[in-house]
């Protein structure tokens, strides 16, 4: 068979280990070099001026860009199918930078209510200080999204897999709605990772991640990323299209086209907010990213088995994992996350009120392998009681809206031997039933 | 200049062209060869406004060692270079005619470039910048034997293969385990 070699569109796993890093001409270093430097010597005064005017490509200061971070940026952009990326100091910084780049005082955002608690406080409290109003809606209520959108709405916002109930965002439906209103859809894809779901393929404009989670995997470095599809027409979107007073009246969309939003986010927002990532952390996240597909296959495999075990357990009231046919979003999960809906989900112990809250504490204290801490997406299995920790700043109504009750326990399933994890849960249930009898 | 010898990755993002049109007008090898071999680039519609995209592109190309030739009926000197009113009036050979004018004006510009070839002055490549697409003009240009690039930014393409675009956090789509050329 003769085969004429044409340009090749390389697969996900190939891009996971190669994208964004071509060995440099001088050293040929195969591993990604760590550029621990704050600043970069200019070729000439004229060249420096060109760099500051954004007319020449290159590095000025690590708050704006860094060669190690650039590898992580391009690799993540490649894996998400984005036109580019901006890596910042954390997932929360990524949200804030994306929104600060898009919004002005008086603007509004409509967001799913199924969000990480920290995101809810950033959207509802911190943005309020900047006169930005965020309306939270039930993500599955089409009419609620529609009704919440006003003339001032500048973006729709949601999580691919909602924290902590594991609900699945209907990406195609929301991107259609965003298109009708000519506003971008912003999707936090942290729980899915680009291996399980790529929101840009379903019409999202901007994708965010806490790279601290599955992308890094090791739980040793914090970082966040903003990715742009490059497909949104910002020509009538004031924050990106209008002349920028902090850049000699530069019109970012006019000059940089499909890269206008990210250039503004980098050259203005991060320049002024200062939420830059350490090059060391970029390197650490890259080490994890190289094995993402292998880890995610194992994460979702383990999660599916554990969710099934819990669903059949007599001490469990409910399990909220979209991989189970009993989950309301099972069909959405099969559509958007065919490899599996992640490895973070929650379940409820039987019981009510203060009693079940105590049971939850006792259960967590009895676990031997699950680490009790406030993170997800680690190679190790993790457990937390959201009502008293990650979501504790929320009001009763907000807790109810995102479905966080005192009986809820959130798990992040790691890469351990699944039989060992099942053993651990089993012995914790035994400890619980002993204490109930006693 | 480029990234290793013979980059053969698919570059497919941010274009309105179909895969068949991309094969004709966005060939990776052809773009690399053109940017490596060209010395003189005429920029049709180069603005004297410092914040316009064309000004960014022209300044960059000049920095990178190309001779830039501004073409604009309403200016005399831009970026220190003498301005010509149209492509026909440039009295020396050019390697690329880089077009920053709307699609409906591209026919006339391409006609002038084809006429230059017929007169034996030069045989410039036609380059239509991002979103400035006139496929009928592109077909004529190609049929006349001119290298034709459509819906690409010459600065971004140069940056893609030189490494600069990568430092801005952009997805260059280049995948290669070979060392970059010095």
């Amino acid at each position: 068979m003769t085969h004429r070699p044409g340009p090749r569109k390389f697969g996900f796993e190939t891009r996971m280990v190669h994208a964004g890093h071509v060995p440099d001409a001088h050293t040929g270093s195969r591993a990604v070099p760590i550029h621990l430097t704050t600043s970069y010597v200019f070729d000439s005064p004229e060249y420096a001026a060109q760099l500051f005017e954004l007319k020449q490509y290159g590095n000025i200061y690590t708050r704006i860009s860094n060669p190690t971070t650039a590898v992580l940026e391009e690799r993540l952009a490649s894996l998400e199918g984005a036109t580019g990326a901006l890596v910042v100091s954390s997932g929360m910084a990524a949200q804030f930078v994306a929104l600060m780049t898009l919004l002005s005082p008086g603007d509004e955002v409509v967001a799913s209510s199924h969000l990480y608690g920290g995101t809810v406080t950033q959207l509802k409290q911190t943005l309020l200080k900047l006169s930005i109003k965020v309306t939270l809606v039930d993500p599955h209520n089409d009419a609620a999204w529609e009704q919440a959108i006003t003339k001032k709405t500048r973006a729709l916002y949601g999580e691919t897999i909602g924290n902590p109930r594991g609900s699945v965002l209907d990406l195609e439906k929301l991107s259609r709605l965003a298109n009708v209103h000519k506003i971008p859809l912003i999707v936090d894809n942290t729980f899915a990772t680009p291996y399980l779901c790529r929101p840009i393929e379903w019409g999202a404009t901007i994708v965010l991640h806490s790279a601290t989670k599955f992308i890094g995997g090791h739980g040793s470095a914090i970082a966040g990323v903003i990715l742009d599809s490059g497909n949104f027409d910002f020509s009538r979107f004031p924050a990106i299209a209008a002349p920028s007073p902090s850049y000699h009246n530069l019109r970012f969309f006019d000059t940089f086209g499909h890269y206008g939003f990210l250039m503004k986010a980098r050259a203005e927002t991060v320049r002024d907010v200062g939420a830059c990532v350490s090059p060391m952390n970029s390197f650490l996240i890259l080490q994890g990213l190289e094995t993402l597909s292998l880890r995610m296959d194992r994460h979702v495999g383990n999660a599916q088995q554990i969710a099934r075990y819990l669903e059949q357990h007599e001490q469990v009231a409910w399990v909220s994992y979209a991989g189970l046919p009993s989950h309301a979003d099972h069909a959405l999960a099969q559509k958007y996350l065919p490899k599996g809906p992640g490895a973070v989900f929650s379940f409820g112990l039987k019981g009510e009120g203060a009693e079940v809250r105590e049971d939850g504490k006792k259960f967590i204290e009895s676990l031997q392998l699950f680490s009790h801490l406030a993170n997800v997406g680690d190679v190790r299995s993790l457990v937390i009681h959201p009502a008293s920790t990650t979501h504790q700043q929320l009001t009763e109504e907000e807790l109810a809206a995102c479905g966080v009750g005192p009986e809820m326990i959130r798990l992040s399933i790691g890469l351990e031997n699944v039989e060992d994890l099942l053993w651990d849960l089993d012995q914790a249930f035994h400890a619980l039933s002993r204490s109930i009898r006693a | 200049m480029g990234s290793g010898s013979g980059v053969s990755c698919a570059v497919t993002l941010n274009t309105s062209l179909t895969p068949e049109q991309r094969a004709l007008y966005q060939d990776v090898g052809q773009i690399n060869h053109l940017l490596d071999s060209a010395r003189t680039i005429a920029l049709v519609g180069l603005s004297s406004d410092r914040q316009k995209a064309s000004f960014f592109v022209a300044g960059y190309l000049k920095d990178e060692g190309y001779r830039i030739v501004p073409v604009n009926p309403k200016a005399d000197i831009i970026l220190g270079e003498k301005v010509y009113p149209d492509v026909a009036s440039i009295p020396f050979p050019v390697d690329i005619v880089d077009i920053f004018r709307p699609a409906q004006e591209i026919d006339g510009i391409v006609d002038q470039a084809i006429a230059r070839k017929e007169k034996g002055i030069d045989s410039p490549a036609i380059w239509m910048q991002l979103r400035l697409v006139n496929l009928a003009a592109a077909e004529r240009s190609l049929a006349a034997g001119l290298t034709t690039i459509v819906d690409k930014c010459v600065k971004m393409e140069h940056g893609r293969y030189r490494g600069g675009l990568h430092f801005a956090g952009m997805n260059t789509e280049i995948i290669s385990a070979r060392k970059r050329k010095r």
Side-chain angles (χ1 to χ4, degrees), chain A residues 255-266:
Chain A
T255 298
F256 295 107
H258 60 78
Y259 202 62
F261 164 77
L262 282 173
M263 274 306 265
K264 193 177 168 85
R266 180 187 299 276

Side-chain angles (χ1 to χ4, degrees), chain B:
Chain B
M1 194 175 231
S3 149
S5 54
V7 172
S8 58
C9 322
V11 176
T12 61
L13 288 169
N14 303 113
T15 176
S16 55
L17 301 196
T18 65
E20 293 73 26
Q21 292 164 346
R22 286 207 302 267
L24 284 176
Y25 303 123
Q26 298 183 347
D27 181 78
V28 169
Q30 201 167 44
I31 291 174
N32 255 299
H33 176 72
L34 186 56
L35 293 173
D36 273 348
S37 59
R39 290 292 166 263
T40 307
I41 304 178
L43 295 109
V44 185
L46 172 58
S47 171
S48 53
D49 178 345
R50 295 178 59 81
Q51 298 299 4
K52 287 285 185 190
S54 60
F55 196 92
F56 275 57
V57 172
Y60 172 84
L61 293 174
K62 194 173 174 177
D63 262 10
E64 292 297 318
Y66 294 99
R67 178 181 181 188
I68 60 157
V69 184
V71 176
N72 180 339
K74 292 177 191 160
D76 299 319
I77 302 275
I78 300 175
L79 282 162
E81 303 292 335
K82 177 177 161 54
V83 180
Y84 293 88
D86 53 26
V87 170
S89 58
I90 303 171
F92 46 81
V94 298
D95 300 310
I96 300 176
V97 172
D98 185 20
I99 305 173
F100 286 88
R101 298 300 301 165
Q104 64 272 20
E105 289 182 34
I106 294 178
D107 290 298
I109 297 162
V110 167
D111 287 343
Q112 291 185 27
I114 293 173
R116 289 175 71 91
K117 186 180 185 200
E118 285 166 353
K119 286 178 195 159
I121 301 169
D122 52 19
S123 184
I126 294 292
W127 190 304
M128 302 180 202
Q129 285 287 131
L130 277 171
R131 302 295 177 265
L132 304 176
V133 178
N134 180 331
L135 287 171
E139 272 176 45
R140 282 192 299 110
S141 160
L142 205 58
L146 303 181
T147 298
T148 308
I149 310 295
V150 178
D151 202 20
K152 284 277 175 189
C153 171
V154 69
K155 177 186 172 187
M156 284 183 173
E157 292 313 298
H158 187 271
R160 184 188 309 278
Y161 302 109
R162 264 289 180 93
L165 196 65
H166 162 75
F167 286 125
M170 287 194 71
N171 183 0
T172 65
E173 299 179 77
I174 294 174
I175 307 287
S176 174
R178 306 176 74 116
K179 275 170 87 165
R180 249 181 228 284
K181 281 194 220 162
R182 280 172 197 260

Side-chain angles (χ1 to χ4, degrees), chain A residues 71-83:
Chain A
V71 176
L72 178 58
E73 288 169 338
E74 182 167 353
R75 191 160 299 175
L76 287 168
S78 176
L79 296 178
E80 282 284 6
T83 197

Side-chain angles (χ1 to χ4, degrees), chain A residues 104-171:
Chain A
S104 302
D107 286 347
E108 298 181 4
V109 174
V110 180
S112 160
S113 59
H114 292 201
L115 300 174
Y116 162 54
T119 299
V120 173
T121 53
Q122 182 186 88
L123 296 182
K124 293 294 284 183
Q125 309 301 330
T126 301
L127 291 186
L128 188 64
K129 293 183 192 172
L130 304 167
S131 301
I132 290 159
K133 181 186 159 195
V134 179
T135 309
L136 299 179
V137 297
D138 171 358
H140 296 326
N141 186 340
D142 297 352
W145 284 97
E146 192 81 62
Q147 280 160 19
I149 296 173
T150 74
K151 280 180 183 166
K152 295 177 181 171
T153 305
R154 293 285 174 269
L156 304 184
Y157 189 99
E159 295 176 356
T160 310
I161 302 172
N163 182 353
R165 291 296 293 256
S167 57
V168 179
L169 204 62
D170 195 336
L171 295 168

Side-chain angles (χ1 to χ4, degrees), chain A residues 156-298:
Chain A
L156 304 184
Y157 189 99
E159 295 176 356
T160 310
I161 302 172
N163 182 353
R165 291 296 293 256
S167 57
V168 179
L169 204 62
D170 195 336
L171 295 168
E172 206 172 18
K173 198 181 268 181
L174 279 179
S175 63
R176 266 204 303 273
L177 183 65
N179 267 341
V180 168
H181 293 274
K182 297 187 169 57
I183 52 177
L185 170 64
I186 306 173
V187 177
D188 181 332
N189 199 35
T190 300
F191 278 20
T193 80
Y195 180 65
L196 299 179
C197 177
R198 288 177 292 280
I200 288 172
E201 292 175 1
W202 299 101
T205 296
I206 293 165
V207 173
L208 307 174
H209 283 277
S210 166
T212 315
K213 310 301 186 303
F214 295 106
I215 287 176
H218 35 58
S220 59
I222 291 180
V225 63
I226 304 154
L227 302 119
D228 182 2
S229 71
N231 298 330
F232 188 81
D233 179 2
F234 282 105
S235 62
R236 290 204 177 83
F237 200 95
I240 311 299
S244 168
S246 81
Y247 245 109
H248 313 298
N249 289 325
L250 177 65
R251 295 168 192 266
F252 277 87
F253 188 69
D254 199 35
T255 298
F256 295 107
H258 60 78
Y259 202 62
F261 164 77
L262 282 173
M263 274 306 265
K264 193 177 168 85
R266 180 187 299 276
E268 275 193 13
T269 314
V270 176
R271 178 198 65 183
D272 295 353
V273 170
C276 59
V277 68
S278 159
M280 191 67 213
N281 283 357
S282 293
F283 175 80
L284 290 170
I285 301 284
L286 274 164
Q287 295 308 292
L289 187 51
E290 292 180 346
T291 56
L292 180 68
S293 66
L294 302 169
R295 287 185 289 109
M296 290 316 290
D297 280 334
R298 174 68 168 261

